[in-house]
Amino acid sequence: QVQLVESGGGLVQAGGSLRLSCAASGGTFSTYAMGWFRQAPGKEREFVAAVGWSNTKYYTNSLKGRFTISRDNAKNTVYLQMNSLTPEDTAVYYCAAGTAYRADPSAYNYWGQGTQVTVSS
């Protein structure tokens, strides 16, 4: 059983940056694909980015260039660097661990509790 704990969320002004972290325990982190998803109020959960065990990265097109995913296998942690934030980025951000770095949530077996990101205008 893998446990995932996100951190780094908070309130930031538009144009600012945040770095989210997701610490994993209870499994072999280096063998998992890791993903970030987000869910805004009243909207469905959407894919943000993923990184495979071989460090191959995959982004949703609309966020490519502003968001960067990375992983540190020595620390069992995946990160999401978010730059040039806008109010539309306001959401709960979730990390997930699974077998493939895909946009489909069903590819992920384990989920964190989420961290709130609020971007003020």
Side-chain angles (χ1 to χ4, degrees), residues 33-34 47 50-54 56-58 98-103 107-108:
M34 300 298 297
F47 171 75
V51 57
W53 60 268
S54 63
T56 304
K57 299 170 185 179
Y58 176 41
T99 57
Y101 59 103
R102 293 165 55 184
Y108 299 87

Side-chain angles (χ1 to χ4, degrees), residues 15-19 65-68 81-86 89:
S17 299
L18 282 175
R19 188 176 81 154
R66 290 198 300 123
F67 288 18
T68 303
Q81 177 68 42
M82 306 185 295
N83 298 327
S84 302
L85 287 162
T86 74
D89 295 315

Side-chain angles (χ1 to χ4, degrees), residues 36-82:
W36 284 99
F37 291 76
R38 68 184 184 182
Q39 187 165 18
K43 296 186 177 181
E44 293 186 353
R45 190 170 297 189
E46 66 170 342
F47 171 75
V48 173
V51 57
W53 60 268
S54 63
N55 210 34
T56 304
K57 299 170 185 179
Y58 176 41
Y59 297 92
T60 191
N61 285 338
S62 62
L63 298 176
K64 192 180 296 185
R66 290 198 300 123
F67 288 18
T68 303
I69 191 170
S70 61
R71 66 188 299 160
D72 185 337
N73 289 339
K75 296 182 178 180
N76 289 355
T77 301
V78 62
Y79 303 97
L80 184 69
Q81 177 68 42
M82 306 185 295

